[in-house]
Amino acid sequence: MGVGQKKLEFTVPGAFSSGERGYAGNILHVDLNSGEMNIEQPGEAFYRKYIGGRGVILHYLLDQMPAGADPLGPDNLLIFASGVLTGTILPGTGRHAVGGKSPLTGVLASGEAGGWWGHELKRVGLDALVIRGTSPSPVYLAVENGIAELRDAGHLWGLSTGETQAAIRQELDNDKVRVAQIGIGGENQVRYAAVMHDINRAAGRSGLGAVMGSKRLKAVTVQGSHRVGLVDKSALQDTLKWITGNYQQQMKWAVDYGTPGALGSNHDGGTLANRNYHRGFLEGIDQLRHEHFFPALVIERDTCSHCPVRCKIVVEHDQPEIEPRYGGPEYESLGALGALCGVSDPQAVAKANELCAKYGLDTISTGGTIAFLMDCVDHGYHQGDYQPRFGSGEDLLEGVERIARREGIGDQMAEGSARLAEVLDPGSRELLAVVRKQELPLHDPRYKHTTGLGYVLSPTGADHMHNLMDNFANISGSNICARLEEMGMDTPLPLYGINEAKVRAYTYETSFKHVLDSALICHFYPYRFHHLEEALRAAGGWDDFSSEEIVQIGRRIATMGRMFLIREGSTPDEDRISKRPLVPLEEGPIAGKTIDPGEMADGLGFYFDLMGWDEAGVPQPRAIQESGLEAYSFDV
């Protein structure tokens, strides 16, 4: 391919370019094998059916990726997708999704990122990018107002994310261009490498950075000037007024300290996993609480496009040197790199988070894999030149370096903890904390039983975002309870256990969140069904859009995810959590508690029945037909 010679000019439909519609109507397809590009204009019905984000990602994976494709081969697709609401005037809409087939789990990879990149994608006049093939040499894709061009990236290969962004902006002579990219983690195809945006926002889980690296695609840059519009601005005024008048009170936790502020209370309540899910408390937890962490490290707050909350923290330190341009750790990162590894040194945890951003690594799987190896060392299952110990900040930092560079045992650690266990003592498999080979987030299923059910049901492997949190569904007046009451359910729900009411609640809540991840709104905002209904009416011009349609779309996306999971070879045996996170703890606030296996089995069966799937979780013809999914190839 003649790098620098492949260029496409495209036009933006007038309804979008004049600010009269919430979606651009253009999807850019790029073939890295040949360098050819073309524009698809799928039409209004497509946007109403899939909304954007995860819905669009699953459509292309089911429709255009051959079954059984190698996640790190040319047939896999890498998809960047905004949503119908991305970049509109509604707070929390500065998000987009990235997806493909996961090299970590072998099934769906679908992650969302904040920042400014997604809004800018809409401003160039595109709703999505669908990238296939493998470039013969490193390239990056630059898109600016009606022009898409593949450019040489040989000089960028091997650079950190910060260095890459600076070099691209200098090369394009544009400090405002937004950059989605991989670091050396993606280049080395670490199976949980992330796609980084604005340096410090990650589409982190399931290895999308490795997919990007396998395609020799170093970066995608976007900058545009089109105005994202609404068909009917007046229709959105009530929701806009409600959010702007209530977010400070209803999101006080985010306004005050962001997600890191939840670490201490989650630890004390039993949510936070410690020492690879083996202990009920973290020694030195006070060092990671916001009361200590913020004065010691936080220098300012950051935000995303169309968001007044400023929940992102920015940290800086001299010894070790921590660069503020890489932001700071979120709750999941503090938990995975800190408590899960038994590390309470805030400087070490913040530095490990910076390295993950610099190299492009998912902090949850990085911390989970290091914690697993620490546990293996404790049990005598691993000997070698790197024997990390719980509580050692130095061992934590060395582990991140080894993983990113695939050095020594880091080469096996880069495969994820489940594959690492296959080359260690067989006893090590008892120490795994995974679902579908993906490391668990920092929400202990022994405390949140329906969340544990959600880990099993997620088509992406263990995921806490498109899920239901038992503790919030147990608080009268919470946002989750308010949404469930809109659907006619009685709340609050019991904290512990899995019953039919909680499974039904899970169905409603995950439908809502699948649509959030397609329309692309931040989960932290207290939106309810009627707000989302009003927003989609205003953006799409769909006057008859209803809350019932939100549930229908969410169920459609869940069914598509299950179809993809089964099409790619997943079996009922994989509908389970590994052993370690279910062994009752002997200490701490949730000592003695775990998920009842019978309740888990009954919960799965009831959910399958609600969704119109058979006893093995296979979507049946009627469910497929009701969701309008007959066109997809789906052989069990």
Side-chain angles (χ1 to χ4, degrees):
M1 177 176 79
V3 176
Q5 304 302 311
K6 296 297 182 181
K7 182 183 292 189
L8 175 72
E9 296 188 13
F10 59 91
T11 58
V12 180
F16 179 80
S17 60
S18 61
E20 297 174 359
R21 191 170 65 189
Y23 56 92
N26 284 335
I27 294 177
L28 175 63
H29 291 258
V30 180
D31 188 332
L32 294 174
N33 290 332
S34 64
E36 297 299 322
M37 294 181 270
N38 64 81
I39 290 288
E40 176 190 8
Q41 295 182 324
E44 179 184 352
F46 175 88
Y47 291 96
R48 183 161 182 170
K49 184 173 184 178
Y50 302 113
I51 302 298
R54 183 172 299 131
V56 166
I57 287 166
L58 278 163
H59 161 72
Y60 285 109
L61 290 176
L62 285 165
D63 187 62
Q64 297 189 9
M65 191 197 82
D70 180 355
L72 297 174
D75 288 336
N76 195 5
L77 302 179
L78 178 67
I79 304 160
F80 293 80
S82 67
V84 170
L85 297 177
T86 300
T88 60
I89 60 175
L90 209 60
T93 57
R95 296 182 68 78
H96 68 283
V98 188
K101 184 178 179 181
S102 167
L104 182 66
T105 68
V107 287
L108 176 66
S110 176
E112 298 73 49
W116 304 81
W117 194 94
H119 183 193
E120 208 66 24
L121 176 66
K122 290 281 280 289
R123 283 167 56 85
V124 302
L126 295 174
D127 297 305
L129 306 170
V130 181
I131 301 168
R132 51 177 46 81
T134 299
S135 175
S137 61
V139 294
Y140 73 94
L141 175 65
V143 188
E144 182 176 359
N145 278 344
I147 299 175
E149 181 180 13
L150 286 166
R151 301 172 65 104
D152 175 57
H155 58 301
L156 304 174
W157 209 252
L159 297 185
S160 70
T161 55
E163 292 168 335
T164 298
Q165 179 168 279
I168 287 176
R169 286 178 168 177
Q170 182 177 21
E171 183 172 306
L172 298 178
D173 193 24
N174 188 341
D175 287 338
K176 295 182 179 180
V177 70
R178 299 294 174 178
V179 182
Q181 58 164 307
I182 55 172
I184 62 171
E187 293 175 8
N188 292 330
Q189 296 175 38
V190 175
R191 286 186 185 267
Y192 43 90
V195 179
M196 303 302 300
H197 307 79
D198 303 329
I199 300 178
N200 51 34
R201 268 73 166 194
R205 307 236 63 194
S206 309
L208 290 162
V211 174
M212 198 163 167
S214 74
K215 295 183 177 302
R216 299 191 186 94
L217 180 65
K218 179 65 173 176
V220 180
T221 72
V222 288
Q223 200 209 352
S225 59
H226 294 292
R227 183 165 58 91
V228 180
L230 295 165
V231 174
D232 186 356
K233 287 185 180 180
S234 64
L236 199 54
Q237 292 310 305
D238 287 345
T239 290
L240 187 61
K241 182 178 179 180
W242 186 86
I243 283 292
T244 55
N246 287 278
Y247 82 87
Q248 288 184 316
Q249 185 266 326
Q250 298 215 11
M251 299 176 67
K252 190 176 186 303
W253 64 271
V255 173
D256 288 349
Y257 297 108
T259 64
L263 189 87
S265 59
N266 280 356
H267 170 273
D268 298 345
T271 294
L272 183 66
N274 298 282
R275 292 175 69 108
N276 196 38
Y277 282 87
H278 185 55
R279 296 290 299 275
F281 64 89
L282 173 67
E283 295 178 3
I285 181 62
D286 287 347
Q287 299 298 303
L288 294 180
R289 294 182 191 272
H290 67 265
E291 294 91 342
H292 177 85
F293 188 89
F294 272 59
L297 287 161
V298 177
I299 61 168
E300 61 178 308
R301 302 284 290 275
D302 191 13
T303 193
C304 301
S305 174
H306 290 81
C307 183
V309 174
R310 303 187 68 82
C311 76
K312 305 293 183 183
I313 64 172
V314 179
V315 301
E316 185 176 31
H317 202 263
D318 295 331
Q319 296 295 329
E321 181 184 4
I322 301 173
E323 298 182 65
R325 63 177 172 170
Y326 289 106
E330 299 279 355
Y331 164 77
E332 297 292 336
S333 303
L334 281 171
L337 301 170
L340 202 62
C341 295
V343 176
S344 59
D345 177 353
Q347 286 81 23
V349 176
K351 182 64 179 180
N353 179 78
E354 181 210 74
L355 292 178
C356 286
K358 184 179 290 186
Y359 298 148
L361 298 175
D362 172 36
T363 56
I364 299 175
S365 283
T366 297
T369 300
I370 294 172
F372 167 73
L373 190 60
M374 288 174 167
D375 214 353
C376 289
V377 170
D378 265 10
H379 283 78
Y381 296 147
H382 168 65
Q383 292 83 35
D385 60 342
Y386 173 59
Q387 295 193 51
R389 299 287 180 175
F390 282 119
S392 171
E394 290 183 1
D395 290 349
L396 169 69
L397 295 176
E398 182 178 348
V400 178
E401 294 280 0
R402 283 176 174 266
I403 289 167
R405 304 180 190 282
R406 284 187 174 265
E407 291 179 348
I409 188 66
D411 190 33
Q412 285 74 47
M413 296 172 72
E415 298 290 294
S417 57
R419 290 178 176 84
L420 174 61
E422 294 173 2
V423 301
L424 300 179
D425 186 290
S428 67
R429 297 170 193 175
E430 299 291 301
L431 309 180
L432 287 170
V434 296
V435 173
R436 304 189 199 284
K437 296 187 172 70
Q438 179 157 282
E439 289 71 21
L440 264 63
L442 280 299
H443 299 270
D444 198 317
R446 292 169 292 207
Y447 174 54
K448 301 182 181 184
H449 297 174
T450 313
T451 304
L453 175 73
Y455 290 162
V456 170
L457 287 170
S458 170
T460 64
D463 187 279
H464 62 292
M465 295 301 290
H466 47 269
N467 211 325
L468 181 141
M469 297 289 169
D470 300 70
N471 53 332
F472 295 132
N474 181 246
I475 300 173
S476 182
S478 71
N479 295 319
I480 289 178
C481 285
R483 289 194 287 264
L484 295 176
E485 288 164 10
E486 285 184 286
M487 295 295 104
M489 291 198 65
D490 294 328
T491 66
L493 298 174
L495 176 59
Y496 291 109
I498 300 172
N499 58 32
E500 290 190 358
K502 293 182 78 173
V503 175
R504 196 177 298 277
Y506 168 85
T507 305
Y508 284 129
E509 183 67 5
T510 54
S511 290
F512 186 83
K513 288 179 175 175
H514 280 313
V515 176
L516 288 185
D517 290 339
S518 297
L520 285 155
I521 300 180
C522 177
H523 286 216
F524 296 156
Y525 273 87
Y527 289 111
R528 298 170 186 173
F529 277 92
H530 70 279
H531 297 134
L532 190 52
E533 170 188 323
E534 184 176 280
L536 290 169
R537 286 185 180 189
W542 306 316
D543 293 339
D544 58 342
F545 202 94
S546 65
S547 294
E548 289 71 24
E549 187 167 354
I550 293 171
V551 175
Q552 181 186 38
I553 293 169
R555 289 168 64 95
R556 176 183 297 129
I557 293 169
T559 298
M560 292 168 74
R562 189 72 182 185
M563 290 170 68
F564 184 74
L565 184 152
I566 292 170
R567 193 192 78 168
E568 297 308 309
S570 183
T571 67
D573 289 341
E574 295 175 89
D575 289 336
R576 65 181 184 86
I577 302 173
S578 62
K579 182 177 179 179
R580 186 53 174 274
L582 297 179
V583 176
L585 296 170
E586 297 179 359
E587 60 192 8
I590 58 169
K593 297 187 181 299
T594 192
I595 298 175
D596 180 275
E599 288 188 356
M600 174 67 86
D602 289 345
L604 283 172
F606 184 60
Y607 179 78
F608 292 162
D609 188 58
L610 284 177
M611 294 295 292
W613 306 349
D614 71 12
E615 64 277 3
V618 178
Q620 294 302 285
R622 181 176 176 181
I624 293 172
Q625 183 179 12
E626 287 177 350
S627 288
L629 305 176
E630 305 95 318
Y632 299 129
S633 172
F634 177 57
D635 296 323
V636 180

